[in-house]
Amino acid sequence: MSATHFFTAYEVQADGKTPAIPAFFIESTAPNNFDDKGETLPAPDHCVDLGDPRQAIERIAETLARQDAPKLVITVHGFNSPRDAVLSTYAQSFQSVNGDKALHDRGVVCVGYRWPSERMGTPWRSGFAASPIFLLGTLCAALASVYFVNFVLELCDVARIVRMLVTAATAFMAIIPITLYLLRLIVYFRDGYRATTYGVPDLVDIIRLLDDALAKQQTLMGKTEVRADLSFIGHSMGGYVVTNAVRILTDVFSPAAMTAMKAMTAGEKILATHADDTELSHIGKALRLRRLVLVSPDIPAEVLLSGRANALHSSLI
């Protein structure tokens, strides 16, 4: 399967017209559950399906290449965010940005990215079906023990201390499956798995394809010296997706940043000039990492320490 089949893309239009600030909505096609069948979701309101994902990438690259000073801003949502909630949030954000005339004609292109996330409490029906037989057996044994303690032992006039010990053991047995079921309902760890397995690699693939398409478009237009500024806005677990995507992009597409990281790991001092700093932020052939806006990011604070040898160094200088 081609990498482009892992996402779908839409272009935002108002009354059939492109708004002052071009905007696109891209979503991963990964399902919430591994065994779910793929389904075709309807196009969001005021959006036009761009069809084949590769053509969608070409469309975004063409829009960026037409800008004199292209700036690509990618927004990534957090956990507990089903599709309708993500679309509502992105729509409000875009309306605010598009309504700010100071941003018009500044070369800004907005992209809202959605990775597979689900609403808290949604997987309650599949909880028992997904549970291992051992956990179900533990829960049934705990419930049976409750009956045994409350009725049989009391009828037999068993010592109170014995009934208390059996009750405590029963409660401990029930806590394990109930806790795991509640953790499934919270969906935090499920979303964390999907963010790592689908959200990050799909976003990296999208940026990789976009960088290649933009480089080709700029070559055709004679703008080979122009790099598009790439900025991210990540909220909650979206900050985790963004920072991990930047790590991968830096490892693969930014040799200068990797050289600096190796020097920092070896304890060497780096006396970087402004030109060197600019080169450190280069991603691929046609992109330049500019800003990371992280709102309540779901990442350790140490990740953002500029003194550490991490792949975010190019965005922290």
Side-chain angles (χ1 to χ4, degrees), residues 99-302:
D100 189 347
K101 294 185 179 180
L103 297 177
H104 293 186
D105 301 323
R106 298 285 297 274
V108 178
V109 177
C110 298
V111 171
Y113 171 68
R114 176 183 176 265
W115 50 275
S117 176
E118 60 187 340
R119 193 186 307 277
M120 191 178 298
T122 299
W124 69 271
R125 293 185 177 182
S126 61
F128 289 102
S131 298
I133 297 178
F134 169 75
L135 287 179
L136 292 177
T138 301
L139 181 60
C140 292
L143 295 177
S145 298
V146 171
Y147 172 81
F148 182 77
V149 171
N150 290 337
F151 294 95
V152 179
L153 294 183
E154 187 172 353
L155 291 176
C156 296
D157 196 24
V158 177
R160 183 178 179 182
I161 185 63
V162 175
R163 296 202 302 269
M164 292 177 60
L165 291 175
V166 175
T167 301
T170 300
F172 181 78
M173 290 173 59
I175 284 175
I176 297 176
I178 291 176
T179 300
L180 293 176
Y181 181 72
L182 291 177
L183 289 176
R184 182 180 178 87
L185 292 182
I186 293 173
V187 309
Y188 179 83
F189 296 100
R190 286 168 57 84
D191 272 5
Y193 171 81
R194 287 186 290 259
T196 302
T197 309
Y198 304 118
V200 174
D202 286 1
L203 179 58
V204 170
D205 271 343
I206 291 169
I207 296 175
R208 176 180 59 83
L209 293 170
L210 182 57
D211 173 71
D212 186 59
L214 179 57
K216 293 178 180 178
Q217 288 287 342
Q218 290 180 334
T219 299
L220 293 175
M221 296 182 180
K223 298 182 177 180
T224 54
E225 300 299 324
V226 178
R227 283 183 175 264
D229 292 345
L230 175 62
S231 298
F232 292 95
I233 301 175
H235 174 256
S236 182
M237 198 171 285
Y240 170 82
V241 174
V242 165
T243 52
N244 278 276
V246 170
R247 281 194 181 99
I248 297 174
L249 290 171
T250 304
D251 289 348
V252 178
F253 299 115
S254 181
M258 286 304 298
T259 300
M261 287 170 57
K262 291 179 180 178
M264 292 174 65
T265 303
E268 300 176 8
K269 294 183 178 180
I270 303 176
L271 300 177
T273 64
H274 178 71
D276 294 331
D277 289 349
T278 302
E279 187 178 354
L280 286 176
S281 65
H282 287 181
I283 297 293
K285 307 172 186 176
L287 297 174
R288 178 174 57 235
L289 185 63
R290 295 298 294 175
R291 295 289 184 270
L292 299 183
V293 180
L294 306 178
V295 183
S296 300
D298 195 358
I299 58 176
E302 289 80 2

